[in-house]
Amino acid sequence: MASSWFERARRNTNLALNSVFATFIAALLTVCLASTALAERSEQLEGDQQREVPALWQINLGEKRGFLFGSIHFGSDALYPLPTEVMAAFRSVKTLAVEVDIEAVDNAELGQFMSRHGVYPVDESLAAEIGPANWQKVVAAAQTLGLESVQLVQQRPWLAALTISIAAIQKSGVATDSGIDLHFLRNGRESHEIVSLETVVDQMGFFATLSQ
């Protein structure tokens, strides 16, 4: 029997977590994973039959109605099509609010931010910051993911961790191009008002404040 949408979603999430940087990835995807876990709720139907329901909640305020849907930033074609209930809810509203509109990134602003907060000056390096033993561990982990140490040596710890984490996720067989948020952005660009709750720089700013 074909696997359910929820089994496919869990499989995509598990692939992303089965990496050497699973702990860091889990921190990034805590909200998404919690939503996926909540998707395992079921409702009683006639007799003893049950069906899985998506992580979709309806919000009512007077005559206004909205929906909250738990999503995953990474995925694969196996996630689609999405459940009928989800797409019906999407088509019934005029506004799509997302964490970040990743198709509307200000690359100039992001580049300036990374130059100031993501990389070391030319006379400093990640290798010097974390010491030889830890640097060799970083190099070994990076090599298993197809990354060169030169790509990481000038990055600050938070950016290097993010770079390696994303590479690990992508190597597991999932990609941002198949993420659910991007799916809705592309399908709602012409039909919905897009509201971005944060910017990429906002999110990078959080990582940049983390303790080394």
Side-chain angles (χ1 to χ4, degrees):
M1 182 174 63
S3 60
S4 70
W5 181 86
F6 302 95
E7 290 170 340
R8 285 179 274 141
R10 286 195 295 269
R11 185 159 54 248
N12 275 277
T13 302
N14 288 336
L15 281 172
L17 293 176
N18 287 333
S19 70
V20 292
F21 284 86
T23 301
F24 186 80
I25 298 168
L28 292 177
L29 300 180
T30 296
V31 175
C32 299
L33 292 175
S35 297
T36 303
L38 288 171
E40 296 175 8
R41 296 176 302 135
S42 59
E43 59 184 18
Q44 190 73 34
L45 300 177
E46 293 183 5
D48 294 327
Q49 292 184 339
Q50 292 182 331
R51 71 179 180 91
E52 292 175 311
V53 293
L56 178 70
W57 292 265
Q58 181 172 321
I59 304 168
N60 299 305
L61 180 62
E63 297 182 354
K64 297 180 179 180
R65 181 182 63 174
F67 296 90
L68 177 65
F69 182 52
S71 67
I72 306 171
H73 296 317
F74 293 82
S76 71
D77 291 343
L79 288 176
Y80 303 96
L82 293 175
T84 303
E85 304 98 308
V86 173
M87 295 311 299
F90 176 63
R91 288 189 291 267
S92 74
V93 298
K94 297 179 179 179
T95 301
L96 172 65
V98 294
E99 181 182 353
V100 172
D101 184 350
I102 57 177
E103 291 192 316
V105 175
D106 186 331
N107 289 320
E109 181 186 17
L110 181 59
Q112 292 174 1
F113 178 87
M114 291 300 188
S115 295
R116 290 195 301 267
H117 305 287
V119 298
Y120 287 104
V122 293
D123 58 341
E124 300 178 33
S125 70
L126 178 61
E129 177 70 28
I130 63 177
N134 285 328
W135 172 243
Q136 288 306 312
K137 293 178 182 179
V138 170
V139 171
Q143 288 176 341
T144 66
L145 300 171
L147 296 173
E148 298 292 337
S149 60
V150 68
Q151 297 174 255
L152 304 170
V153 69
Q154 289 302 124
Q155 293 184 359
R156 293 187 182 275
W158 70 268
L159 182 55
L162 189 59
T163 300
I164 293 174
S165 296
I166 292 174
I169 292 173
Q170 293 175 333
K171 187 175 182 180
S172 71
V174 294
T176 55
D177 280 350
S178 297
I180 291 176
D181 44 357
L182 186 56
H183 173 79
F184 281 118
L185 282 167
R186 289 175 172 171
N187 282 275
R189 186 69 65 187
E190 301 298 327
S191 57
H192 291 63
E193 176 188 3
I194 307 296
V195 175
S196 184
L197 303 180
E198 298 177 311
T199 68
V200 172
V201 169
D202 290 335
Q203 293 192 336
M204 295 301 101
F206 168 76
F207 289 124
T209 64
L210 295 177
S211 168
Q212 297 186 13

